[in-house]
Amino acid sequence: MSEVTIIIPNYNGIQYIRGCIDSLLAQTMKPDIIVVDNASTDGSADIVREYDGIRLIELEDNFGFCRAVNEGIAVTATKYVILLNNDTKAEPDFVEELYRAIDKHDDTFSVASKMLQMDSPDRIDSAGDLYCALGWAFSLGKDHKSSRYDKESVIFSACGGASIYRKELFEQIGYFDELHFSYLEDVDVGYRARIMGYVNRYTPKAVVYHAGSASTGSRYNPFKVRLAARNSWYVIYKNMPALQIVINLPFFLIGFGLKALFFIFRGYGREYLSGMKRGYLMCVEGRKYPYDHAFIGNYCRIQLELWFNILRRIFG
């Protein structure tokens, strides 16, 4: 029986899904595979049906990344789950290396892989996620040379596009918050793990190639800009106690102000500001993660890291 299940959320991924699945069938460590389809209309679900032994869960509408992976996690019986974007191709030892990296650390919630850009495989797509006091989440190493990220490290959170998670901890921390739909949901769940004292890590030995933005079409687009701006507020509201929000408020004003100028310059100013407004409304209807004084030390360590990560974001 496998100890790892791979969950692939799919929405109109006909261009990539076959290559993704074929790379998983060639793994040195054989995983169970579940594809959760978000009501695709391009025939990509039909391609999945061609494969024996792969479970296909078909949703009646496009409920987004969070609902899709939650459906997969809920039916998984293995100790670990790997979340993998449909627009990826994994190296043959990808599963085995992720398994080794998490299984040797009992304190670890997740481990991020080395995600390389499919069209520029010498460049990093993500070496895990960092989060800073400006209210920014960012992919560690984005666009940098792959060789700069050849050491294992502790990160803020794992990128949900190609990472392994300890399934039993989802029962403590909670599953992915479906209010996010997509974007920053991985930072949110990693943040919750950090509050409870668990660790998120990065291993360079598990390598995957990522096309990027296959479902949304580009690195920046109106849908992505609105959703990411909205969810940025929600991550703050949900995971930070009121005093921590007050302490970081000057940094948030600077960070969101700079982001607004950035997107105005790129022609997405209206979408960004609309997303910020929706973020405020989302906080009204959203769920705040309950504060527990027993974790005060974890909150303090996280806060110091948020300040330090400003420097990491500026100076790379």
Side-chain angles (χ1 to χ4, degrees):
M1 180 179 176
S2 176
E3 291 198 71
V4 179
T5 298
I6 296 183
I7 299 168
I8 306 171
N10 178 64
Y11 177 67
N12 289 345
I14 195 167
Q15 183 178 353
Y16 300 102
I17 191 67
R18 190 183 298 277
C20 178
I21 292 174
D22 286 347
S23 73
L24 299 180
L25 295 178
Q27 292 294 303
T28 57
M29 181 179 183
K30 302 302 181 185
D32 295 334
I33 303 174
I34 299 174
V35 176
V36 185
D37 187 73
N38 265 319
S40 295
T41 58
D42 65 346
S44 50
D46 293 328
I47 291 178
V48 177
R49 291 190 191 93
E50 297 175 8
Y51 292 88
D52 293 329
I54 294 180
R55 181 172 180 178
L56 175 63
I57 299 174
E58 296 183 87
L59 305 181
E60 65 271 20
D61 202 351
N62 181 12
F63 294 110
F65 177 90
C66 298
R67 169 72 179 275
V69 298
N70 283 347
E71 293 278 350
I73 294 169
V75 300
T76 298
T78 53
K79 185 176 181 180
Y80 303 112
V81 294
I82 292 175
L83 305 185
L84 187 64
N85 281 1
N86 61 357
D87 58 339
T88 58
K89 288 184 180 181
E91 287 285 347
D93 59 351
F94 168 76
V95 173
E96 185 174 359
E97 292 296 348
L98 280 180
Y99 170 80
R100 287 178 176 175
I102 195 170
D103 198 57
K104 66 183 179 181
H105 296 291
D106 292 337
D107 64 349
T108 297
F109 170 57
S110 67
V111 178
S113 65
K114 176 187 273 191
M115 298 180 72
L116 301 176
Q117 298 175 22
M118 194 173 287
D119 58 351
S120 300
D122 63 329
R123 298 285 174 175
I124 291 285
D125 187 62
S126 177
D129 290 334
L130 297 183
Y131 188 61
C132 73
L134 295 172
W136 298 352
F138 54 98
S139 296
L140 183 63
K142 184 76 172 181
D143 296 326
H144 290 171
K145 284 283 189 180
S146 168
S147 56
R148 291 181 57 180
Y149 296 88
D150 282 342
K151 293 183 179 180
E152 293 188 358
S153 63
V154 173
I155 54 177
F156 189 86
S157 61
C159 173
S163 297
I164 192 168
Y165 298 81
R166 195 178 301 268
K167 194 208 168 178
E168 66 177 355
L169 295 186
F170 280 111
E171 307 305 325
Q172 296 182 37
I173 296 163
Y175 283 30
F176 287 88
D177 189 335
E178 294 176 16
L179 285 180
H180 282 278
F181 190 83
S182 59
Y183 301 120
L184 300 181
E185 75 291 323
D186 45 8
V187 174
D188 171 57
V189 77
Y191 201 139
R192 283 182 266 144
R194 295 290 307 279
I195 290 172
M196 293 189 69
Y198 296 109
V199 178
N200 301 304
R201 301 179 186 273
Y202 159 75
T203 178
K205 295 180 180 179
V207 177
V208 65
Y209 303 93
H210 184 217
S213 301
S215 295
T216 57
S218 63
R219 189 165 179 175
Y220 301 113
N221 58 71
F223 173 80
K224 185 174 182 179
V225 169
R226 273 195 302 267
L227 213 57
R230 184 196 73 167
N231 292 347
S232 294
W233 274 118
Y234 187 40
V235 168
I236 292 168
Y237 165 80
K238 181 175 180 179
N239 295 292
M240 290 189 183
L243 178 59
Q244 191 177 18
I245 293 176
V246 171
I247 290 172
N248 287 300
L249 187 57
F251 296 98
F252 295 150
L253 294 175
I254 294 171
F256 289 128
L258 290 173
K259 277 286 185 81
L261 291 175
F262 174 83
F263 284 115
I264 288 171
F265 179 77
R266 285 186 169 267
Y268 295 112
R270 179 176 297 180
E271 288 80 6
Y272 182 77
L273 295 175
S274 173
M276 296 292 282
K277 179 181 177 180
R278 294 181 188 185
Y280 170 78
L281 298 175
M282 188 178 184
C283 292
V284 174
E285 66 173 296
R287 299 179 294 273
K288 194 164 181 68
Y289 194 61
Y291 172 76
D292 188 335
H293 186 72
F295 299 133
I296 184 65
N298 297 336
Y299 280 105
C300 291
R301 281 187 286 272
I302 290 170
Q303 182 57 53
L304 292 174
E305 186 175 341
L306 297 183
W307 283 331
F308 178 68
N309 283 344
I310 294 177
L311 300 178
R312 297 186 72 177
R313 180 65 181 91
I314 294 172
F315 298 108

